[in-house]
Amino acid sequence: MVEHWLNTIELTASAAMFGVIWMVQLLVYPSFRDVRSDKWEFYHRRHTRRITFLVAPLMLLEAVAGIALWIQAEVLSVARCGAIGCLAILWLSTFFIQVPLHQVVERGFALTAIEKLIQTNWIRTVAWTLKLIFVLVDYTQHS
């Protein structure tokens, strides 16, 4: 029963983050290029506050459920290992690549850092896409 709820929570959070990351990759980050530099600090501060309100709970739910499923597994499936591997990549990329780049652009409009943010965010876009596939496979194996 607990395993079913953990699988459902992880699947829901991963699917939501899949949608969010593709929207960020294709729409939000590229639109950073178009913000006037005199409006940049206000725009970025507002973006950061709003996106964090959305993604932080989803990322935490996804991580807690995924790690709990990993810990309680008697035998680790390829799908569970893949999901945990993607989770590690996502958190490492977020905190060691994207957060530092956001810290650079929070001080002022910096097109080079914005371009790097767009390019390196493909790491998370691919990882969340693969993670959703792994979680779907794991979910179907346990349903």
Side-chain angles (χ1 to χ4, degrees):
M1 182 69 152
V2 171
E3 184 180 7
H4 173 73
W5 281 107
L6 289 171
N7 275 310
T8 301
I9 289 167
E10 184 187 33
L11 177 60
T12 303
S14 295
M17 285 306 303
F18 168 83
V20 169
I21 199 66
W22 276 98
M23 186 176 61
V24 166
Q25 184 63 38
L26 299 178
L27 299 172
V28 177
Y29 283 173
S31 73
F32 281 7
R33 296 174 179 131
D34 303 324
V35 178
R36 291 187 358 221
S37 59
D38 62 322
K39 302 286 184 186
W40 174 254
E41 288 180 46
F42 170 77
Y43 178 86
H44 186 262
R45 194 172 331 128
R46 186 176 61 182
H47 159 77
T48 303
R49 185 175 57 251
R50 290 177 175 177
I51 199 80
T52 301
F53 179 76
L54 174 67
V55 301
L58 290 171
M59 285 181 72
L60 286 172
L61 278 172
E62 181 183 46
V64 169
I67 291 168
L69 287 164
W70 177 49
I71 289 170
Q72 77 169 19
E74 291 176 19
V75 176
L76 287 172
S77 67
V78 171
R80 175 60 31 214
C81 290
I84 289 297
C86 287
L87 186 67
I89 290 167
L90 290 164
W91 281 76
L92 290 170
S93 180
T94 296
F95 290 101
F96 291 108
I97 300 173
Q98 281 73 42
V99 167
L101 286 169
H102 273 285
Q103 290 170 340
V104 168
V105 298
E106 117 185 334
R107 293 189 294 270
F109 185 85
L111 188 57
T112 304
I114 291 169
E115 293 299 334
K116 252 184 139 168
L117 190 58
I118 294 166
Q119 292 166 2
T120 61
N121 196 57
W122 280 109
I123 297 166
R124 297 189 304 173
T125 304
V126 170
W128 256 305
T129 301
L130 291 173
K131 183 172 188 304
L132 180 59
I133 293 167
F134 287 130
V135 169
L136 277 167
V137 169
D138 193 59
Y139 185 83
T140 57
Q141 291 174 348
H142 293 95
S143 293

